Amino acid sequence: MSNSATFWHENNSIEVLTTPDGVITEWLENKLSEASRESYGKSLRYFFCDTTGTIPTPDAVRWFLALSEQQALGLMLKWRSHMQHTLKLSPKSINARESAVRSFVQHARKRGLTQLALKDLGSLKAQVYRDVSGIDA
């Protein structure tokens, strides 16, 4: 049994992989700008390095996508805590990284590789600073 399906378009063969490593490539290729592809790719690498100790290998991706919703949410919340307290990242940076992982999970779900949704993972509220522009020093 093959792990890929081949589609034809204008006499060119386009292989769409349904393996974990292939779905990452497919997901990134669907991002409109090069900057988005780079940012989302980095965020996914950060996630896997921080949570599994490895880059997103097929085995690591398969492991993550096979987690239950509760296990995945727990992992995401532990990662959030690590980014907040150990890495001291801003809420904006944390939200951007988490958004990339949610986007990847959504894509993998569409391709039939997971049942995860991560819908219960809300975003962090950005810290609002007081406007002090009219105060004399």
Side-chain angles (χ1 to χ4, degrees), residues 2-21:
S2 174
N3 284 334
S4 65
T6 302
F7 298 91
W8 295 92
H9 176 60
E10 297 178 10
N11 297 326
N12 293 320
S13 172
I14 302 171
E15 189 172 87
V16 180
L17 300 175
T18 56
T19 59
D21 51 339

Side-chain angles (χ1 to χ4, degrees), residues 67-121:
L67 293 176
S68 71
E69 186 73 13
Q70 291 77 20
Q71 291 170 322
L73 284 170
L75 184 65
M76 292 294 291
L77 291 172
K78 284 183 183 180
W79 185 46
R80 176 184 284 176
S81 179
H82 171 72
M83 290 187 287
Q84 282 179 299
H85 304 295
T86 304
L87 301 178
K88 308 279 189 214
L89 296 179
S90 71
K92 182 179 177 182
S93 294
I94 293 169
N95 288 338
R97 288 183 182 190
E98 288 178 349
S99 176
V101 175
R102 281 194 303 265
S103 172
F104 171 69
V105 166
Q106 196 174 47
H107 183 78
R109 184 180 173 101
K110 288 176 187 173
R111 302 295 281 126
L113 295 173
T114 189
Q115 294 300 310
L116 295 177
L118 300 178
K119 290 180 182 176
D120 292 333
L121 183 69

Side-chain angles (χ1 to χ4, degrees), residues 1 23 28 34 58 63 66 80 93 108 113 129 132:
M1 185 171 142
V23 81
L28 289 172
E34 181 62 34
W63 170 82
R80 176 184 284 176
S93 294
L113 295 173
Y129 292 98
V132 294

